[in-house]
Amino acid sequence: MAHRHASRPTRSSAPTPPLALAGTLLQRTLRFAEPPEAVLARTLSGANRVGQRLRHALADALYGALRALPQLHWRWQRLQGGTPAPLDVAALRDDAPACQALMALAWPIDAAPWLAQADATSAEVVAEWQARAQAVSLDDAPEAVRLGLPEWLVPRLQAQVGGELPLLAAALRAPAPVDLRVNLLKARPAQAREALQQALGGTVSTTPYAPHGLRLPGRTRLSGVPAYEQGWVEVQDEGSQLIVALVGARRGETVVDFCAGAGGKTLALGAEMRDSGRLYAFDTVARRLLALPARLARAGLTNVVTMQLRDEQDERLERLAGKVDRVLVDAPCTGLGTVRRHPELPWRHDPASVAQHAALQQRIVAAAARLVRPGGSLVYATCSLLREENEDVAAAFTAHHPDFVVQPAAERLAAARVPQAQALVQGPYLRLWPHRHGCDGFFAAVWQRHG
């Protein structure tokens, strides 16, 4: 007797509308559990996988919303008919309709066709929100809203740049260029520049300050580009390159990158040392060091020793106490100088987190200083804009370590053949500002240890 098999009904779930996906992206990003690029990768996978053009549009909308979060929130509240209240990120990330509306306002105009092809309803909602928002002025909005900054951050930056604050805020909202460092172990700057121009078909310029830096026009994908794959160039912001120039590492020396992270400055230090001597790359988080061996191999570096530290007091550091020629402390910080690349950062920090970072920075630089030999040098650097993490930490270290004498950063930069070195400093310190120098915001102090 033949068996009869009943066919099971198949469930077909409709794809999530693009605008709902967009709102989810913003909600997840504002939880600050992972950076925006990780949120994009995790959210736009599996059943939510979308085409490349729509994916790019969603990414642009997310970064656009983060860069203009207070302005978009103000306009959205006005369109709701109420009196705008201060932006509360914790409340916003739990409000799905609000996040969808903000992402609709941030949707890039040139990506409207891809949205319409994917979902006509989402396209209509975006067009309606954007048309209505054009009538909403920011003239009566609070200063922090007009600047696109958290309220707590405005007076701190105002105290440092004064009337330049609108220029700084505008620079922080603008997307960053792609900067490259030429690896002198494998290529000359002119050689690398010519190779990139041929491969990319666009103009590649030199950076105005970093001697071995190149700048690409707009967003550029380097995967598959021969000059990148062969290790001729590495992605590194011009400001980061200037920190390495300040260290002044030389052939045959012993050098420590105390907070190496993913190793961008480690690679640059190794090239400055011409792959000689001994270069140590330390970090307390193992995953940050995972990609470094492959990057070292591509760059042609063999003199690097990597090590995960328990913390800044790791007993293994005693082996190097008083023996190191140069120590770089690229300290953990709020990262507010890199907002062009990480526009979520202003919203994940507050005065309490700034104070916590400053306390940690003081502990780290004091621990790293023990490694410096008499006559050797110590560089403390951050990618923060805030005095609490920069000048205040440097001043506290100087006050408690009389055997370390501050060295003028301008002299060190000039010795590294950095042009216009005097324009890059404030007092004895390196001070880079996005609106003045066109790179990420950086601070650095240099000391020499006396006997």
Side-chain angles (χ1 to χ4, degrees):
M1 181 177 175
H3 294 278
R4 297 177 65 184
H5 298 277
S7 59
R8 295 181 179 178
T10 57
R11 292 184 179 179
S12 59
S13 57
T16 306
L19 194 53
L21 270 179
T24 299
L25 288 169
L26 182 56
Q27 285 185 278
R28 290 179 175 176
T29 299
L30 293 179
R31 293 185 186 123
F32 307 125
E34 52 190 352
E37 59 268 23
V39 172
L40 282 160
R42 184 167 59 86
T43 305
L44 303 181
S45 62
N48 290 330
R49 189 181 300 276
V50 298
Q52 198 66 23
R53 286 171 170 170
L54 185 55
R55 182 186 182 89
H56 284 159
L58 286 164
D60 288 344
L62 177 60
Y63 279 88
L66 293 169
R67 290 191 176 99
L69 201 60
Q71 295 101 322
L72 297 178
H73 186 257
W74 174 272
R75 287 193 165 102
W76 171 73
Q77 289 186 102
R78 276 292 171 88
L79 292 174
Q80 295 292 95
T83 301
L87 174 59
D88 182 344
V89 171
L92 177 61
R93 66 186 174 215
D94 293 329
D95 191 338
C99 284
Q100 286 189 36
L102 267 58
M103 289 292 279
L105 293 174
W107 194 268
I109 299 298
D110 58 357
W114 320 128
L115 183 60
Q117 289 180 16
D119 180 56
T121 301
S122 292
E124 291 174 4
V125 173
V126 166
E128 179 184 356
W129 275 110
Q130 293 192 352
R132 292 173 61 196
Q134 290 178 0
V136 180
S137 171
L138 293 175
D139 290 346
D140 60 340
E143 182 183 27
V145 172
R146 297 196 308 273
L147 294 171
L149 297 170
E151 290 184 4
W152 68 269
L153 188 54
V154 171
R156 284 169 164 79
L157 296 179
Q158 182 89 52
Q160 296 186 82
V161 300
E164 296 179 27
L165 182 55
L167 297 176
L168 172 59
L172 292 175
R173 292 196 303 271
V178 178
D179 287 353
L180 306 175
R181 175 186 55 80
V182 178
N183 178 7
L184 298 181
L185 294 176
K186 292 199 169 186
R188 300 183 304 278
Q191 181 185 16
R193 183 183 180 188
E194 181 180 357
L196 287 167
Q197 289 187 149
Q198 291 180 357
L200 300 174
T203 302
V204 178
S205 60
T206 57
T207 49
Y209 304 109
H212 313 311
L214 300 174
R215 182 161 291 164
L216 303 184
R219 185 168 56 188
T220 305
R221 185 179 178 85
L222 289 171
S223 178
V225 175
Y228 175 75
E229 298 290 351
Q230 296 167 11
W232 288 18
V233 293
E234 283 285 343
V235 177
Q236 187 175 25
D237 180 77
E238 182 181 26
S240 180
Q241 296 181 46
L242 291 171
I243 297 294
V244 173
L246 198 63
V247 175
R250 299 174 181 172
R251 296 174 187 264
E253 291 185 328
T254 299
V255 178
V256 169
D257 188 354
F258 201 80
C259 306
K265 294 182 181 68
T266 304
L267 295 171
L269 289 167
E272 292 289 313
M273 298 166 68
R274 298 300 190 271
D275 196 32
S276 65
R278 184 58 60 90
L279 174 57
Y280 294 90
F282 299 150
D283 206 278
T284 57
V285 181
R287 60 176 172 78
R288 293 177 186 157
L289 298 170
L290 286 178
L292 188 51
R295 298 181 72 188
L296 292 170
R298 187 176 66 226
L301 289 172
T302 61
N303 69 331
V304 179
V305 177
T306 63
M307 184 186 303
Q308 179 192 358
L309 301 180
R310 173 179 49 81
D311 54 29
E312 70 274 9
Q313 301 296 335
D314 195 307
E315 58 276 3
R316 291 172 294 176
L317 293 173
E318 289 302 318
R319 306 173 194 168
L320 293 172
K323 299 177 181 178
V324 179
D325 297 293
R326 301 173 196 267
V327 175
L328 168 62
V329 180
D330 182 17
C333 67
T334 57
L336 292 173
T338 66
V339 170
R340 302 182 307 165
R341 305 176 195 278
H342 307 287
E344 78 282 5
L345 288 179
W347 311 105
R348 70 178 303 168
H349 289 295
D350 56 25
S353 70
V354 173
Q356 290 169 0
H357 276 91
L360 174 62
Q361 289 152 0
Q362 292 190 34
R363 295 197 304 270
I364 290 175
V365 70
R370 298 201 303 268
L371 307 185
V372 182
R373 66 167 176 80
S377 64
L378 171 68
V379 175
Y380 168 75
T382 79
C383 54
S384 173
L385 301 175
L386 301 180
R387 181 179 297 276
E388 295 101 311
E389 299 183 85
N390 296 331
E391 286 89 349
D392 291 355
V393 172
F397 176 83
T398 302
H400 290 92
H401 296 80
D403 54 332
F404 282 82
V405 178
V406 177
Q407 301 293 297
E411 294 180 6
R412 298 287 289 258
L413 293 172
R417 299 183 179 180
V418 172
Q420 306 176 65
Q422 198 61 48
L424 306 177
V425 301
Q426 287 180 224
Y429 304 129
L430 175 73
R431 253 302 193 167
L432 303 176
W433 296 92
H435 69 295
R436 293 178 187 170
H437 305 112
C439 60
D440 286 348
F442 277 94
F443 168 88
V446 187
W447 296 269
Q448 185 176 30
R449 186 172 193 176
H450 287 188

